[in-house]
Amino acid sequence: MLTSGVILRKRYEIIYILGSGGFGDTYLAVDLDLPYQPKCVVKHLKPNSDPGVLQIVRRLFDSEAQVLYRLGNDSDQIPRLFAHFEEQSEFYLVQEFVDGADLSKEITPGKKLTEQEVTKLLQEILEILAVVHRKNIIHRDIKPQNIMRRHQDNKIVLIDFGAVKEINTMMVNSQSQTSVSVVIGTHGYMPSEQAVGQPKLCSDVYAVGMLAIYALTGIQPHELPKDPTNGEVIWLNWAKVSKKLADVLTKMISYHFRDRYLSAEEALQALNPPQRRQAPSRISNTPSPVLKRRQAPPRISNTPSPVSANNLKSFQFETVTVDAKGNITNRRNLKAKYFVEDLGNGITLEMVQIPGGTFTMGSPEGEKYRQTDESPQHQVTVPGFFMGRYAVTQAQYQAIMGTNPSRFKGEKRPVEKVSWDDAVEFCKRLSQKTGKTYRLPSEAEWEYACRAGTTTPFYFGETITTDLVNYHGSYPYGAAPKGEYRLQTTDVGKFPPNSFGLYDMCGNTWEWCQDLYNESYQGAPTDGSTWLSGKDNNIKLLRGGSLYVFAVHCRSAYRHRDAITNLRDNVGFRVVAVA
């Protein structure tokens, strides 16, 4: 057991132990490398010294750590994995510390929550679990103790994935010479197929359903009776709920996995059936009154009414190039043309002219840490267009929408916590106000504008530093040094632009694109237009990286995606108008 004051890797100082169990010891620690010394959680795994066991554990440890890295980058409601390492045949995971309380404080024996409260809780849990299931990852231990309510924003945070527990349980089993095959889960929340070591995505759905029933009835899942003829849980006798919610929960906890919703996404859609969208409409140049009830956003064509290239202004700027270590090797003074849109009350929007051209979209096979969905590389010819010099700011969003949903307040900071629908609605209202047609960029337009003629991983060159980009500076790319981790957005225009004169195309906030997400570029358009065919109409592309992610995720080719309804404090957008 580690004692207070122990420093791991000359960086992580142990404060005190948080808990012990079959999965190892967990400690609260501080990161001494960062000036504000943030708290973090250290999980310590100690297998026996058998070489065969160590080899298996090492392989599992590395592969599962990569899973946790990916999950933490996909959502701010999954604790980020900051580091994983091995020292003297012992294994360590360093994760984000979540300041909050688990749901066992909200859901307790004998206490019944209302249907409205449980429905809201179900939606919150299923939304974050859907992010996990889209990567075909099973949590395997959904229960109140593994779901936190974060103090700072009251959001649900999903913790303690079974993947890590599998490594530890495997180590315990190997010491006792039992089978390496293990079962992860908690009695009452674990369905029949998981109990025999064959969990599925719908096993998590079962656990969430049982958690909701516990909240409704005040009876713990393992105490509820089961029908001896078919194994179904009997619960409706102790709950007063609508037929709709009763039907959803009954399907979620069906004894046979084939009878359940296949994933959290399916359960979420059953809980909140999608509203029928109105037929696509053309955007008029005549402003229409703002309706009290929000209508479905119109589809915006990639060929809107043109923006005149007359009376454009010019601005000068300096852009830089760096070597593989992040040292600036070249500075260039360039010019770009733009026009200014007056949004009223002294608020303006600057739109930069992006010349048309042909570029290679995606990443080459030799690019470090490239993802499979960045291929195949393909030639795309993009017509000229105008793009926002900066991501849409909070002042600009307030001027058009009348609200500011952002967590990190500041008029010149990018607006965040906007869904894809919110971004499209902004474009619609901006179009109505100005008489021009604004929209989100296609993914091809975005990458073309980001690269600005470069073919390197970043538009700055082979790497980036936190002097150039707002990202998680503790995780650099290539040979670049570690840097600052700001933990908040920065004002737009703080860092040097790319060669087109566009700022913050790397880091700060992810930016919505029009396109649906596809797992590769097979069949992608080659004319710069939006790709509207895909497996899921609710999943859209995000590009550019953000303040929370590692440098690798800020590469020009890196592709991210999210549900169109999700609100995150590291997601914003910028607008396009066609020349």
Side-chain angles (χ1 to χ4, degrees):
M1 184 175 292
L2 303 177
T3 57
S4 177
V6 169
I7 299 177
L8 301 171
R9 292 221 157 176
K10 300 180 180 179
R11 176 168 184 174
Y12 305 106
E13 182 177 357
I14 300 299
I15 302 177
Y16 54 77
I17 190 167
L18 293 172
S20 297
F23 58 86
D25 300 325
T26 302
Y27 302 87
L28 183 68
V30 293
D31 187 344
L32 302 177
D33 249 21
L34 299 178
Y36 49 90
Q37 295 190 356
K39 293 178 181 177
C40 55
V41 172
V42 174
K43 293 187 177 181
H44 178 205
L45 323 177
K46 188 176 180 181
N48 65 31
S49 57
D50 179 86
V53 172
L54 279 175
Q55 185 177 1
I56 297 172
V57 170
R58 187 173 293 115
R59 176 175 53 80
L60 280 175
F61 180 72
D62 288 337
S63 63
E64 297 298 358
Q66 295 306 317
V67 168
L68 294 175
Y69 278 127
R70 286 194 298 135
L71 284 175
N73 290 327
D74 279 353
S75 173
D76 68 344
Q77 291 171 264
I78 299 172
R80 290 186 294 279
L81 182 63
F82 294 143
H84 75 290
F85 51 89
E86 176 186 349
E87 287 188 353
Q88 297 179 342
S89 300
E90 297 182 13
F91 300 84
Y92 298 86
L93 293 168
V94 183
Q95 288 185 285
E96 177 184 7
F97 170 69
V98 179
D99 185 11
D102 67 59
L103 289 190
S104 66
K105 308 299 186 294
E106 298 180 26
I107 305 173
T108 57
K111 177 184 176 183
K112 293 185 179 183
L113 301 186
T114 66
E115 177 171 345
Q116 184 178 11
E117 290 172 326
V118 172
T119 301
K120 184 176 185 297
L121 184 62
L122 260 179
Q123 181 169 335
E124 290 178 301
I125 297 172
L126 289 172
E127 282 179 351
I128 185 59
L129 188 59
V131 175
V132 178
H133 283 185
R134 285 183 206 120
K135 289 189 174 293
N136 204 33
I137 294 169
I138 310 167
H139 185 282
R140 286 184 283 182
D141 201 12
I142 300 287
K143 59 183 178 181
Q145 292 82 357
N146 286 342
I147 302 172
M148 301 284 288
R149 178 79 71 182
R150 190 163 53 200
H151 289 325
Q152 69 182 33
D153 55 11
N154 212 36
K155 281 185 178 180
I156 287 294
V157 179
L158 198 55
I159 65 171
D160 279 354
F161 283 73
V164 176
K165 295 179 184 178
E166 180 176 9
I167 299 170
N168 290 272
T169 308
M170 190 219 71
M171 293 188 297
V172 171
N173 286 349
S174 64
Q175 290 174 349
S176 60
Q177 303 299 312
T178 61
S179 171
V180 170
S181 177
V182 298
V183 174
I184 301 298
T186 299
H187 183 48
Y189 296 94
M190 184 168 47
S192 56
E193 73 280 356
Q194 186 174 339
V196 295
Q198 297 181 341
K200 298 171 173 45
L201 296 180
C202 62
S203 304
D204 285 346
V205 174
Y206 179 97
V208 176
M210 292 306 300
L211 185 151
I213 288 170
Y214 176 19
L216 283 169
T217 64
I219 302 173
Q220 297 188 70
H222 68 274
E223 296 177 339
L224 285 166
K226 293 185 178 181
D227 188 325
T229 63
N230 55 22
E232 300 292 352
V233 176
I234 300 171
W235 64 277
L236 273 171
N237 301 349
W238 297 275
K240 293 182 179 179
V241 293
S242 65
K243 184 178 185 303
K244 175 190 172 183
L245 182 58
D247 289 346
V248 169
L249 289 176
T250 298
K251 187 173 176 67
M252 289 178 73
I253 65 163
S254 293
Y255 179 81
H256 292 290
F257 65 86
R258 297 181 188 87
D259 297 329
R260 291 183 223 131
Y261 302 110
L262 296 180
S263 67
E265 190 81 53
E266 274 197 20
L268 187 60
Q269 290 176 1
L271 189 67
N272 297 309
Q275 299 296 313
R276 180 174 296 178
R277 291 181 179 268
Q278 295 182 349
S281 59
R282 294 185 179 276
I283 295 179
S284 167
N285 284 356
T286 305
S288 59
V290 177
L291 302 178
K292 289 185 179 179
R293 176 175 291 181
R294 185 173 170 188
Q295 296 180 345
R299 293 184 181 275
I300 301 178
S301 168
N302 271 15
T303 55
S305 54
V307 176
S308 172
N310 296 329
N311 302 318
L312 294 179
K313 301 179 180 181
S314 294
F315 69 95
Q316 291 187 331
F317 57 92
E318 182 185 77
T319 187
V320 303
T321 303
V322 300
D323 61 20
K325 294 183 179 180
N327 301 310
I328 295 176
T329 58
N330 189 31
R331 297 179 183 269
R332 291 189 296 162
N333 291 312
L334 302 173
K335 286 185 179 181
K337 293 183 178 181
Y338 73 111
F339 72 87
V340 177
E341 199 74 83
D342 186 358
L343 306 185
N345 296 320
I347 307 300
T348 59
L349 172 68
E350 297 178 20
M351 299 295 295
V352 177
Q353 186 178 38
I354 308 298
T358 299
F359 81 112
T360 302
M361 188 170 182
S363 60
E365 290 187 5
E367 187 166 303
K368 192 174 183 180
Y369 301 129
R370 74 187 296 266
Q371 303 294 305
T372 56
D373 64 357
E374 298 165 17
S375 63
Q377 280 193 299
H378 57 292
Q379 295 290 298
V380 180
T381 299
V382 181
F385 59 98
F386 288 87
M387 186 176 232
R389 185 175 179 180
Y390 312 108
V392 171
T393 66
Q394 294 174 36
Q396 292 165 344
Y397 194 84
Q398 179 80 44
I400 298 299
M401 303 294 282
T403 61
N404 180 9
S406 305
R407 174 189 174 194
F408 303 110
K409 300 296 186 188
E411 288 191 352
K412 294 184 179 180
R413 295 190 183 199
V415 68
E416 15 91 1
K417 296 188 73 174
V418 287
S419 68
W420 186 87
D421 284 339
D422 292 333
V424 170
E425 181 70 15
F426 176 92
C427 294
K428 173 186 174 182
R429 296 190 190 185
L430 178 61
S431 301
Q432 292 170 341
K433 180 179 180 68
T434 63
K436 303 181 183 72
T437 302
Y438 285 90
R439 59 171 172 81
L440 296 178
S442 70
E443 186 188 16
E445 287 173 334
W446 192 96
E447 185 170 328
Y448 173 74
C450 174
R451 288 188 177 279
T454 63
T455 58
T456 46
F458 307 88
Y459 55 78
F460 290 114
E462 294 297 330
T463 192
I464 51 175
T465 68
T466 53
D467 292 332
L468 304 174
V469 176
N470 183 14
Y471 66 97
H472 194 324
S474 298
Y475 296 92
Y477 185 87
K482 291 183 180 180
E484 187 176 0
Y485 183 24
R486 296 177 175 88
L487 281 170
Q488 59 182 314
T489 58
T490 50
D491 286 356
V492 299
K494 175 181 173 68
F495 303 103
N498 68 8
S499 296
F500 281 158
L502 300 174
Y503 291 77
D504 298 312
M505 296 293 281
C506 273
N508 221 15
T509 59
W510 291 105
E511 297 182 4
W512 286 113
C513 296
Q514 289 198 61
D515 304 51
L516 293 173
Y517 175 74
N518 284 274
E519 294 178 352
S520 79
Y521 286 131
Q522 291 289 350
T526 58
D527 59 358
S529 61
T530 300
W531 197 3
L532 292 177
S533 62
K535 292 182 179 178
D536 190 338
N537 289 334
N538 293 313
I539 306 298
K540 294 285 187 173
L541 259 299
L542 290 161
R543 299 298 297 264
S546 81
L547 67 150
Y548 293 135
V549 303
F550 305 166
V552 62
H553 304 113
C554 297
R555 292 177 299 113
S556 299
Y558 188 81
R559 309 173 74 213
H560 190 40
R561 75 274 194 187
D562 205 350
I564 60 176
T565 55
N566 282 351
L567 305 172
R568 307 196 189 284
D569 60 10
N570 64 338
V571 173
F573 67 102
R574 73 178 71 210
V575 295
V576 155
V578 173

